[in-house]
Amino acid sequence: MCRKGIVCLSRLTCLLLIVCLVAVSVSGCKKSATVEPIKIGFIGDLTGDTAIWGQAGSKAGQMTTDEINAAGGILGRQIQFIPMDGRGQAVDSVNAFNSLVDQGVLCVIGTNFSSCNKAIAPIACQKKIPLLGTTCTNDAVTVDQATGLVYPYSFRIGYTDEFQAQVLGKYAATELKAKTFASFLDMTQDFAQTETTWFNKAFVANGGKMVGTVSGRSGDNDFRTQLTKLAAMKPDVILLPWFYKDVALIANQAKELGMKIPFMGPDSWDSPELMGLAGPALEGSYYCSQPAFARPETKPFHDAYVAKWGTEPEAESLAVHDGLYWVKDACERAGKVDPVALRDALESTVNFQGLMGPITVDIKTHNPSKEASLFHITGSERVFVGDFKP
């Protein structure tokens, strides 16, 4: 009888052990599911001629992810930041977006090219994955130009071409007292014509006059013919909506020709490399940029970035930083981590405080309400003038 009792007890003990092991196993599975990281994608030009921007965004994204994770993550979950190379090309960026969706991302931050985001926006809507463009500025990034309706899942962190062109045009007429301007267009970029159109509207509205345009193509090496034509027009200022490497080449050739007419340009000028490439050749010129490192709030981030990476950050760095914190803010307002809930919370954003300034989303355009920073190049240095709205 005792032996039977011992055997029964042993069997009972084994059964209890099995039950406990199963319970622990199930508990462990549930626990691992709840702590799965939140995947957030980033698409930037990690290679190619403008890789300085994409790499700066990727580095800032990793640094900001570490900062958010150290503070507890988003709703108690850690972030996994996944950068992918879009090469600044629409096809590559679409492929990168689709790959990130396949990996199960909550959302995607990027790109900084309007042509890329215009291609991604309708796909983001089909797949219901929010897309937060960084410094892409074309209206078509967030609004379907055929219907006039906003893309529900496409947002932007920076301002538009129209906005910064109006800031530049108004400033040229009212503050620089310019009476005439001419435009030098990059025919490879849609934003060049948009910038010229809206600069002209603001300039004319404030008493100025457009005297002509010339054009060229990025990748060309000699712009002296176009510059000679511009000089003959005798404008007070020249609008130069090109990327910074072309700006430097054009400015240096203008200096060789003895031209002293100041150039004005959009945020495509913005890079620490510009001064090294052009410097004295851009003396007296002005350019607009996303609110960036002139703001005192950005100094701790700037210093931490330099300490970690050993290089100067770009405006793209701040855009990615603000994008990640904006996603965190929206998820916490939504109370859950879900792409549709995130979209709804992003759209209802009011006065989110980012390092690039506050963001309040216009529900009809998904554009933020913010200012543009203006810089003056003098003594081979870029000097912050102030933040402006049209």
Side-chain angles (χ1 to χ4, degrees), residues 61-140:
Q62 189 55 64
M63 189 173 87
T64 306
T65 294
D66 293 344
E67 181 178 279
I68 293 174
N69 285 341
I74 297 176
L75 295 175
R77 291 171 60 183
Q78 298 285 280
I79 303 170
Q80 181 183 352
F81 183 72
I82 308 174
M84 292 201 71
D85 189 7
R87 297 180 58 247
Q89 302 296 319
V91 172
D92 296 276
S93 296
V94 166
N95 290 339
F97 181 83
N98 287 329
S99 176
L100 287 166
V101 173
D102 290 342
Q103 293 178 58
V105 296
L106 170 69
C107 64
V108 174
I109 297 173
T111 74
N112 56 319
F113 286 93
S114 295
S115 57
C116 298
N117 279 55
K118 284 162 62 176
I120 300 172
I123 300 171
C125 295
Q126 292 169 9
K127 300 196 173 184
K128 293 182 167 54
I129 297 295
L131 173 68
L132 286 72
T134 50
T135 55
C136 46
T137 50
N138 192 281
D139 287 343

Side-chain angles (χ1 to χ4, degrees), residues 112-115 118 134-142 145 156 158-169 189-202 239 241-243 265-269 288-290 367-368 372 390:
N112 56 319
F113 286 93
S114 295
S115 57
K118 284 162 62 176
T134 50
T135 55
C136 46
T137 50
N138 192 281
D139 287 343
V141 164
T142 58
Q145 299 302 291
R156 82 171 90 233
Y159 50 59
T160 64
D161 288 323
E162 174 185 335
F163 181 90
Q164 64 176 333
Q166 289 185 80
V167 167
L168 287 167
Q189 298 295 335
D190 291 342
F191 75 85
Q193 183 59 63
T194 304
E195 293 284 346
T196 297
T197 298
W198 287 100
F199 184 103
N200 184 47
K201 287 183 178 181
L239 180 65
W242 294 65
F243 287 116
D267 63 339
S268 56
W269 284 31
C288 216
S289 179
Q290 306 285 342
N367 294 332

Side-chain angles (χ1 to χ4, degrees), residues 35 46 52 72 122 132 145 166 174 185 203 219 259 262 285 303 310 312:
V35 298
L46 304 181
I52 187 172
L132 286 72
Q145 299 302 291
Q166 289 185 80
T174 61
L185 297 175
F203 194 71
M259 292 176 62
S285 296
D303 293 348
E312 284 290 319

Side-chain angles (χ1 to χ4, degrees), residues 315-344:
E316 182 74 357
S317 308
L318 284 178
V320 175
H321 169 278
D322 282 6
L324 282 165
Y325 270 104
W326 188 14
V327 170
K328 180 180 186 296
D329 171 77
C331 285
E332 289 173 349
R333 283 188 284 113
K336 59 181 176 179
V337 177
D338 172 78
V340 177
L342 172 60
R343 188 220 79 84
D344 294 344

Side-chain angles (χ1 to χ4, degrees), residues 131-375:
L131 173 68
L132 286 72
T134 50
T135 55
C136 46
T137 50
N138 192 281
D139 287 343
V141 164
T142 58
V143 176
D144 185 336
Q145 299 302 291
T147 65
L149 300 176
V150 70
Y151 286 116
Y153 282 81
S154 186
F155 297 83
R156 82 171 90 233
I157 298 164
Y159 50 59
T160 64
D161 288 323
E162 174 185 335
F163 181 90
Q164 64 176 333
Q166 289 185 80
V167 167
L168 287 167
K170 181 179 179 180
Y171 189 86
T174 61
E175 301 299 324
L176 302 184
K177 307 301 180 184
K179 298 301 181 184
T180 59
F181 92 97
S183 181
F184 189 172
L185 297 175
D186 176 4
M187 298 304 293
T188 67
Q189 298 295 335
D190 291 342
F191 75 85
Q193 183 59 63
T194 304
E195 293 284 346
T196 297
T197 298
W198 287 100
F199 184 103
N200 184 47
K201 287 183 178 181
F203 194 71
V204 170
N206 286 280
K209 177 183 177 182
M210 184 176 183
V211 293
T213 63
V214 298
S215 62
R217 303 183 71 83
S218 180
D220 291 345
N221 294 316
D222 190 347
F223 299 101
R224 293 174 181 83
T225 299
Q226 294 97 321
L227 289 167
T228 300
K229 290 179 181 178
L230 284 170
M233 296 176 191
K234 298 182 179 179
D236 293 325
V237 295
I238 297 171
L239 180 65
L240 192 61
W242 294 65
F243 287 116
Y244 71 94
K245 288 185 179 179
D246 293 307
V247 169
L249 179 59
I250 292 168
N252 282 315
Q253 291 180 2
K255 188 171 185 291
E256 291 172 12
L257 294 172
M259 292 176 62
K260 296 183 179 179
I261 305 167
F263 292 105
M264 301 190 78
D267 63 339
S268 56
W269 284 31
D270 195 24
S271 172
E273 288 190 355
L274 180 64
M275 292 300 93
L277 294 170
L282 283 170
E283 180 69 29
S285 296
Y286 291 81
Y287 76 90
C288 216
S289 179
Q290 306 285 342
F293 294 103
R295 294 169 58 84
E297 297 91 334
T298 64
K299 191 175 188 312
F301 174 87
H302 171 276
D303 293 348
Y305 184 100
V306 172
K308 184 173 180 64
W309 303 110
T311 58
E312 284 290 319
E314 300 274 340
E316 182 74 357
S317 308
L318 284 178
V320 175
H321 169 278
D322 282 6
L324 282 165
Y325 270 104
W326 188 14
V327 170
K328 180 180 186 296
D329 171 77
C331 285
E332 289 173 349
R333 283 188 284 113
K336 59 181 176 179
V337 177
D338 172 78
V340 177
L342 172 60
R343 188 220 79 84
D344 294 344
L346 289 171
E347 188 174 75
S348 63
T349 298
V350 176
N351 203 33
F352 164 72
Q353 294 297 322
L355 293 182
M356 297 175 76
I359 290 178
T360 295
V361 173
D362 183 336
I363 193 171
K364 294 180 180 179
T365 64
H366 283 185
N367 294 332
S369 175
K370 57 174 51 179
E371 297 178 319
S373 296
L374 197 65
F375 293 86

